[in-house]
Amino acid sequence: MTDLFQEYDNTLAPVYTKIDVTKPIGYDPVAPKRFNYTVYLYYLKLVEVIEPEEKVSVVLEIAEYWYDPRLAWDSTKYDDIKMLHMRQDRVWSPTINSFRINDIADFRDQDFRMVCVENTGQLFSSLSSKISVNCPMKVDKFPFDSQTCVVQFCLPLFYMKHVEIFSVIYEGILNKTIWEKMGNSEWDLVNLTNRVELLTYKDGLGDLQLATFEINIRRNPMYYIYMIVFPSFVINALSIIGVFMKKTDEMSKVSFFCFLLILMLQIQQLNVGLTNIMTMTFILGVMADKIPKTGSIPLLGIYIIINLFIMIFAVGLTIVLNELRRCAIPRLRSKKNRMNQTLEYILGDPLETICMTILELLNAANFSVMIGFWISDS
């Protein structure tokens, strides 16, 4: 340690900068290679996804590697010692920055950060942090959607001609068994990739390398299937039956009391339909608070809206049929013949049964489409 730090200055970076940044990389064959900095991801945990804010928070366990030739030594001269562990403030460390983030929290103890120094001049330390990043949401297939978010790191102070960045993922976490533990109750991690991106402004000076980790997550739709899709289907099915299933009223002797009875039946049918419409509208409101305000309508929203229109059509159809019967049946009965009797019969229970069956089939078809997306997504 005495020999190693005798002339060492931990306030000075070991980055070779005596080059012309306006010229291409490697123009000077005598100059040392660019300073290498590696971001090594060895664990990730998805914390939360806030869809309305399009924000995703993850906890990252990262190791960072860099090379400082001033800290290299001949191990044969020091009893074959090839590694030293020391406080990080003893050595120069690069200042890693997260790029395009909302928030970052470093879990490391500021007073007891450690660094490992190898005799080759290679240094590495660990970083544990919670990062919140902006993640544009594509909700057109909600709740069967998948989202892709990126976490990026950079060294903004140095020119790209000075520093070369690498991104690496620990091979031990590149399997689905480990990924199952990295998600949360609503989201599953389905893929994790790494690359180095180039942020360029095409001026030759503002180019910046970004160590990028791409996180692909998929929503677990079971909650929405059991709490919204299936209950909506059952409510709609029962409401359609409640609107249409009633005994055909005898209208041969239309009196004031009979008219009141018919009016009460119509109001009861309307109550069933309007209650269903209010329920669907409430579900739409709940869903609207869950997703960002984008220009596309999510799949679940389309499903609820179709159910809503089916019920509105059922209520409107019931009113039309009741008015039609009230006006037509007395006239048909005033002239008794086979044709009028047939029309009177058709305007009764058969017509309601046909309308109810058609709407129930539409409701079932809408539900089947949602289940089909669920099956195909699985």
Side-chain angles (χ1 to χ4, degrees):
M1 289 288 290
T2 302
D3 294 344
L4 199 61
F5 288 94
Q6 185 175 3
E7 298 181 355
Y8 182 80
D9 185 357
N10 64 353
T11 64
L12 181 65
V15 180
Y16 180 80
T17 58
K18 193 179 178 181
I19 56 174
D20 188 349
V21 295
T22 63
K23 293 183 179 181
I25 296 174
Y27 77 94
D28 185 0
V30 181
K33 293 183 179 180
R34 286 189 292 170
F35 177 81
N36 291 345
Y37 176 76
T38 302
V39 182
Y40 189 90
L41 176 65
Y42 60 89
Y43 193 73
L44 177 147
K45 176 63 179 178
L46 181 66
V47 179
E48 63 179 349
V49 179
I50 306 176
E51 289 95 329
E53 299 180 15
E54 296 187 299
K55 185 172 72 174
V56 174
S57 298
V58 293
V59 171
L60 300 177
E61 301 289 343
I62 292 175
E64 47 183 350
Y65 292 81
W66 67 95
Y67 178 71
D68 192 336
R70 299 171 299 174
L71 295 177
W73 70 89
D74 185 358
S75 61
T76 59
K77 296 181 179 180
Y78 298 95
D79 198 22
D80 206 27
I81 295 175
K82 296 182 178 180
M83 186 178 296
L84 293 173
H85 293 84
M86 64 189 71
R87 293 276 295 275
Q88 191 167 352
D89 57 9
R90 292 292 304 271
V91 302
W92 177 88
S93 301
T95 304
I96 182 175
N97 280 10
S98 296
F99 194 72
R100 295 171 181 163
I101 65 166
N102 287 326
D103 189 25
I104 182 170
D106 193 345
F107 296 146
R108 294 182 298 182
D109 191 326
Q110 301 294 327
D111 298 325
F112 295 98
R113 294 182 180 180
M114 298 294 293
V115 64
C116 178
V117 183
E118 297 180 345
N119 67 309
T120 58
Q122 187 83 12
L123 291 86
F124 61 90
S125 67
S126 63
L127 170 65
S128 179
S129 63
K130 178 183 176 182
I131 297 178
S132 297
V133 297
N134 292 316
C135 184
M137 298 285 176
K138 298 179 180 179
V139 295
D140 50 325
K141 291 186 178 181
F142 174 84
F144 310 110
D145 54 323
S146 298
Q147 307 296 338
T148 300
C149 307
V150 294
V151 179
Q152 297 177 312
F153 299 95
C154 64
L155 293 175
L157 183 62
F158 301 98
Y159 287 104
M160 193 180 71
K161 309 295 174 58
H162 297 157
V163 176
E164 184 175 12
I165 292 181
F166 299 91
S167 66
V168 181
I169 299 177
Y170 175 49
E171 292 184 1
I173 65 172
L174 291 178
N175 64 78
K176 294 183 178 180
T177 303
I178 303 297
W179 288 348
E180 292 176 356
K181 302 176 182 178
M182 294 184 179
N184 58 20
S185 57
E186 184 177 356
W187 293 89
D188 299 322
L189 180 68
V190 295
N191 198 15
L192 182 62
T193 58
N194 65 293
R195 63 180 181 273
V196 175
E197 290 186 356
L198 176 62
L199 177 67
T200 179
Y201 298 97
K202 297 182 180 180
D203 59 358
L205 297 177
D207 296 347
L208 187 66
Q209 283 187 317
L210 303 173
T212 303
F213 298 96
E214 187 174 273
I215 306 165
N216 186 256
I217 56 178
R218 182 172 58 200
R219 192 190 304 270
N220 183 357
M222 295 299 294
Y223 172 82
Y224 300 94
I225 293 293
Y226 289 128
M227 300 300 293
I228 296 181
V229 176
F230 185 71
S232 299
F233 167 71
V234 174
I235 291 171
N236 242 32
L238 294 178
S239 298
I240 292 172
I241 294 175
V243 167
F244 283 101
M245 286 299 289
K246 71 180 187 65
K247 184 175 179 61
T248 305
D249 304 300
E250 293 292 334
M251 303 197 58
S252 56
K253 298 180 180 179
V254 179
S255 64
F256 177 73
F257 296 103
C258 186
F259 175 77
L260 288 178
L261 178 61
I262 294 170
L263 184 61
M264 290 175 63
L265 289 171
Q266 289 182 356
I267 293 174
Q268 186 177 9
Q269 289 174 311
L270 286 176
N271 282 338
V272 173
L274 292 176
T275 301
N276 178 279
I277 291 172
M278 291 177 62
T279 302
M280 295 301 164
T281 305
F282 175 76
I283 293 175
L284 280 175
V286 172
M287 189 190 66
D289 294 335
K290 181 66 177 175
I291 60 177
K293 308 302 185 288
T294 62
S296 59
I297 301 177
L299 185 63
L300 183 58
I302 295 174
Y303 170 77
I304 299 299
I305 290 173
I306 291 175
N307 278 348
L308 182 62
F309 276 104
I310 288 174
M311 205 61 235
I312 292 174
F313 185 73
V315 172
L317 192 58
T318 301
I319 296 173
V320 171
L321 290 179
N322 286 334
E323 289 298 318
L324 179 63
R325 278 196 294 267
R326 190 170 65 85
C327 297
I329 289 180
R331 296 180 181 180
L332 292 174
R333 289 182 176 178
S334 63
K335 297 180 181 180
K336 292 187 176 180
N337 55 53
R338 198 174 193 84
M339 178 69 70
N340 289 351
Q341 289 178 351
T342 302
L343 289 175
E344 180 184 350
Y345 174 74
I346 293 174
L347 288 174
D349 290 340
L351 185 58
E352 286 193 345
T353 303
I354 292 172
C355 293
M356 182 184 67
T357 303
I358 292 173
L359 293 178
E360 289 285 16
L361 289 175
L362 289 175
N363 185 44
N366 191 28
F367 177 72
S368 299
V369 170
M370 287 295 293
I371 297 301
F373 273 99
W374 180 29
I375 295 174
S376 63
D377 183 70
S378 302

